[in-house]
Amino acid sequence: MIPLRAKATWHIRTGVHMERSSRRTREFGGEIRILLLAEDSLIRVGITALLQMADDLSLVAETQDEEIAHTLALELAPDITVLSASAETPFRGAVVERLSAVSRLVYVGACQPDVAHQVITCGAAAVFDPRGRPQALPDIIRVAAANDTLIMPTCGPLKMTRIPTATRASEERDLPLAPDALTNREAEVLLLLAQGYANQEIANKLSVSSATIRSHVHHLLTKLSVRSRAHAVALAYESGLIRAVEQGLRQTA
């Protein structure tokens, strides 16, 4: 059965353009529902056109206003909020934190690794630099919606990129917890998360079930006092925990 064309409507209170579709919602294994925040109208039109080409992605609302975006995220509960930054709108951590608290956030914009690191630390699920392959955005959204996997910006082929570990003690924060506070299995899972692997991939590598990996990830987030896998990896790299865990596993091997 061919799905009906989505019908455009208007949010009565805010005047925001919204889409209504007859296709199944993600609750039933269907499309990924997306909210788009982009101040630049040209960028907004481009991202909208790109998303509308994908059958499994549904743009439920778009706006250029941060306050309206937050209200819509609360009302519509999208699977993903896409925040597009432009040269005229530099990174604002408060906006990322606020939107990440109510929806998984994909940050789209040309930014250096240090800025991308800040975005992830503020709670974003993914950071995507569109300069190399802008058409890869739908794939980034799918990965973020399915796995909350850390994705760092790249101008070359689409790939997972690790956040650089601080090389000098003066650049590192205090460890968020002692490395021995993690079990060996949790330490292994953390290192694989840092390499961009999804739950099922980690399960395959460690020869356990994906449910077991979800349990380990939950324990990691609790011990690190963070909300997302992406934030856990960013914190582990920034503080030097990754290096300490690697050394600990080598010593026990």
Side-chain angles (χ1 to χ4, degrees):
M1 178 178 178
I2 300 175
L4 298 176
R5 183 181 298 275
K7 297 180 179 179
T9 61
W10 291 88
H11 192 275
I12 296 175
R13 183 158 54 83
T14 62
V16 175
H17 183 263
M18 302 173 66
E19 297 288 342
R20 301 296 185 190
S21 171
S22 64
R23 289 178 292 183
R24 294 179 301 168
T25 65
R26 186 163 174 75
E27 295 177 48
F28 300 98
E31 63 197 10
I32 298 171
R33 302 172 66 254
I34 301 165
L35 166 64
L36 171 61
L37 168 59
E39 294 183 2
D40 187 296
S41 59
L42 185 59
I43 292 177
R44 193 165 63 254
V45 169
I47 292 179
T48 297
L50 190 61
L51 297 179
Q52 289 178 338
M53 293 173 63
D55 290 338
D56 61 332
L57 304 181
S58 174
L59 184 62
V60 295
E62 58 178 81
T63 180
Q64 62 182 19
D65 186 274
E66 297 168 6
E67 288 298 325
I68 292 177
H70 185 259
T71 298
L72 290 173
L74 291 172
E75 292 182 358
L76 301 176
D79 299 302
I80 293 289
T81 295
V82 174
L83 169 59
S84 176
S86 65
E88 292 73 28
T89 56
F91 165 65
R92 284 165 289 183
V95 177
V96 174
E97 287 183 349
R98 193 178 184 200
L99 291 175
S100 296
V102 294
S103 170
R104 286 181 179 173
L105 182 75
V106 173
Y107 183 93
V108 179
C111 57
Q112 297 302 313
D114 58 336
V115 175
H117 187 185
Q118 294 178 53
V119 174
I120 291 296
T121 302
C122 287
V127 179
F128 177 58
D129 187 331
R131 290 175 293 179
R133 286 183 57 196
Q135 68 273 23
L137 178 59
D139 288 331
I140 297 294
I141 290 173
R142 293 183 186 103
V143 172
N147 303 310
D148 194 21
T149 298
L150 173 65
I151 304 171
M152 297 303 290
T154 173
C155 293
L158 179 62
K159 63 181 180 180
M160 303 294 184
T161 308
R162 297 173 59 165
I163 302 175
T165 306
T167 56
R168 297 193 302 271
S170 61
E171 294 176 337
E172 297 180 355
R173 295 166 41 173
D174 292 335
L175 293 181
L177 77 170
D180 58 9
L182 301 178
T183 66
N184 283 351
R185 185 62 87 189
E186 288 169 350
E188 291 172 334
V189 170
L190 178 60
L191 294 182
L192 290 170
L193 287 177
Q195 296 174 52
Y197 289 105
N199 282 357
Q200 189 57 58
E201 294 172 316
I202 296 174
N204 293 341
K205 282 182 171 293
L206 300 181
S207 300
V208 297
S209 70
S210 58
T212 298
I213 298 303
R214 285 197 298 272
S215 177
H216 288 315
V217 171
H218 174 73
H219 292 153
L220 280 170
L221 299 187
T222 300
K223 289 182 178 181
L224 292 171
S225 299
V226 294
R227 295 192 304 266
S228 70
R229 297 153 53 111
H231 193 181
V233 172
L235 176 61
Y237 269 119
E238 182 183 38
S239 65
L241 178 61
I242 287 291
R243 186 167 59 186
V245 166
E246 289 174 333
Q247 292 173 346
L249 287 177
R250 282 198 296 268
Q251 292 172 359
T252 58

